[in-house]
Amino acid sequence: MQVQQDGEDFASQPWYHGPLSRQKAEALLQQDGDFLVRASRSQGGHPVISCRWQGSALHFEVLRVALRPRPGRPTALFQLEDERFPSLPSLVRSYVTGQRPLSQATGAVASRPVIRQGPIRRSFSEDTLLGSPARIELPRARKRSDSQPAGLDHMGRSREDHPGPGDSAVPICALPRMGSDPMLLKTPASLGCVIDSLRASDGQLHAKAPTKPPRTPSLLLHDASGRPPTYCELVPRVPSAQGTPPGHGSPETEAPPWWEANKEEEEENRSFARPKAEVSFWPPNNPFCLLGPQNRPLEPKVLSTLRDLFLEHHPGSTALHLLLVDCQATGLLGVTKAQRGAMGVASGLELLTLPHGHRLRLELLERHEALALAGALAVLGCAGPLEERAATLRGLVELALALRPGAAGDLPGLAAVMGALLMPQVSRLERTWRQLRRSHTEAALAFEQELKPLMRALDEGAGPCEPGEVALPHVVPAVRLLEGEELPGPLDESCERLLRTLHRARQMARDAPKFREAAARRLRGFRPNPQLREALTTGFVQRLLWGSRGVGAPQATRLEKFQRVLSVLSQRLEPDV
């Protein structure tokens, strides 16, 4: 679900519920993926993301990093673990639309906001986060201690102990210590007061920006009753700026999306480590916006929605969406530190050449087959006029041109689209192809003279594969070979093709950082449509083609049945004479 963009005032967002207790928040979270943002009463009103995941309610306190005031710059950045954002809505928007885990430890994904019912009352800490004058003047009104002994008698006591005109009802422990305040305390303050005084949301009172985000939001504290901690541990990563000495400032601009992550972080993980387990780059089984919890195969309403969605985007935009999803499915972009540690290498292009890359290779084969079947269905499902099918063919040809080397450079996506166009059930539609040549001559010529020879060369391991011209290389031939599939053709030709394919696989693993840089460069500044991105994921395509029940059947059985369905559709469109 797309989150609205209402600027900096997160109190106007429908997912923000204001001051809300943990118990009431958990009662509103019904299904996995449900989330809301609240002002935690136990944490001094700091924003907390509450999310239900795997049957449990989890709570994540948002870290706020203050910046030195500067015109045209945000006054603070908001952070969970990796990225920093100039506002709380932009943080929520990134994690919801990107379907990214709120923390690597839990893997919880927020996908469905719980809409607030009715207005909310803004609290003290909400004024703090929104930069209102109320937050700035309260510390000034606080009586500072002096060097006289009488002044020391008031230190460490609440306002209730020394009421006076103009005194605030907020206890001293809830107010941050000013830089000039002495640390002399007649009575020791409680641990909760000390931690509240160190919170990152009070960082705007510092003279300059902190060198790194405080770790206090990560503390797990037991209260006096001995109950277990209720906040999930976050491990914020401090972004490093090249050429900036340690301890001299922090980034003051919005962090890039996860597919534009810091290159230095990948270079630090180039050394091989002993693998711990097989890794999957498929997103967790989250509920889909376009599909219900249970769906039948090829639901007409969903197919109509998808058709309209693809018609709204030109081929270049669709190609970038497909490149983004393919890079995530291949493990080229968006690889977490935990995944790198588990697989022992830095990217999926290296993993798929290793013995413990079996699971990744199966996932890539599944994705290739599912996308090819979906593309063929787009043509064979057009039961209307002949021109409509020819226009669909033209759309697929234009998408393939947008994916080719030198354009988006997504060769797995190109292979899937070409697999749909070259599928026997589609290639036998003589009347449809004749109409394409008559009505869309340029597309027909590009398909015959450019795309078909290019795809033949890529399958034989002889096509273009230079990083820069290509963002994501053609991995299907190497994956099939490593999974034990035999190469077609005479023995001498198959041996040469085998050697070329293995050599290409070694090149892909060696040049993985260059491919990653090329993909990130193409996606720089790109903001995907959440629904279109969801429609291109492997899990969604599987559910669309085989339904929520049939998706669990063995792959060979599913593919065989769907091939029969496509054959029936093809015969209905153009029966054999």
Side-chain angles (χ1 to χ4, degrees), residues 2 58 254 437 563:
Q2 186 173 3
L58 307 177
E254 181 178 0
R437 290 189 289 269
Q563 287 286 351

Side-chain angles (χ1 to χ4, degrees), residues 280-294:
S280 171
F281 297 109
W282 280 14
N285 293 326
N286 300 319
F288 295 108
C289 297
L290 301 175
L291 293 174
Q294 302 291 330

Side-chain angles (χ1 to χ4, degrees), residues 109-283:
V109 176
S111 57
R112 188 187 305 103
V114 177
I115 305 302
R116 181 185 69 248
Q117 303 294 331
I120 60 174
R121 178 177 57 86
R122 184 170 294 176
S123 65
F124 172 78
S125 291
E126 292 168 41
D127 292 330
T128 301
L129 295 174
L130 294 174
S132 68
R135 182 63 183 94
I136 301 173
E137 295 179 1
L138 276 173
R140 294 179 181 174
R142 184 168 62 102
K143 180 180 178 181
R144 301 169 181 262
S145 62
D146 50 32
S147 59
Q148 301 298 325
L152 301 178
D153 293 339
H154 299 281
M155 295 299 298
R157 300 183 185 179
S158 66
R159 295 295 183 186
E160 292 152 357
D161 295 335
H162 299 278
D167 286 351
S168 171
V170 181
I172 288 181
C173 62
L175 295 174
R177 186 178 69 89
M178 306 296 289
S180 60
D181 288 346
M183 288 301 296
L184 299 177
L185 297 177
K186 184 173 181 180
T187 58
S190 64
L191 180 59
C193 295
V194 175
I195 291 175
D196 285 340
S197 67
L198 295 177
R199 294 199 174 276
S201 60
D202 295 328
Q204 70 271 26
L205 300 178
H206 291 278
K208 63 178 183 178
T211 59
K212 61 182 181 179
R215 296 297 301 275
T216 50
S218 301
L219 295 177
L220 299 179
L221 301 178
H222 297 266
D223 58 9
S225 63
R227 291 179 299 179
T230 58
Y231 287 88
C232 298
E233 182 176 6
L234 298 175
V235 184
R237 177 177 62 84
V238 182
S240 59
Q242 186 174 2
T244 303
H248 289 77
S250 60
E252 298 189 3
T253 57
E254 181 178 0
W258 56 264
W259 58 85
E260 301 176 15
N262 201 342
K263 182 180 178 181
E264 285 82 357
E265 182 180 351
E266 181 187 347
E267 295 299 330
E268 294 175 359
N269 295 274
R270 290 295 300 159
S271 59
F272 180 81
R274 182 181 297 274
K276 301 176 182 177
E278 292 204 1
V279 176
S280 171
F281 297 109
W282 280 14

Side-chain angles (χ1 to χ4, degrees), residues 417-445:
V417 176
M418 291 298 295
L421 293 171
L422 297 174
M423 200 168 290
Q425 294 90 333
V426 176
S427 59
R428 64 172 294 276
L429 300 176
E430 296 182 2
R431 292 174 51 216
T432 306
W433 286 101
R434 192 181 306 116
Q435 182 67 27
L436 175 71
R437 290 189 289 269
R438 183 182 300 114
S439 303
H440 313 284
T441 307
E442 292 185 4
L445 290 176

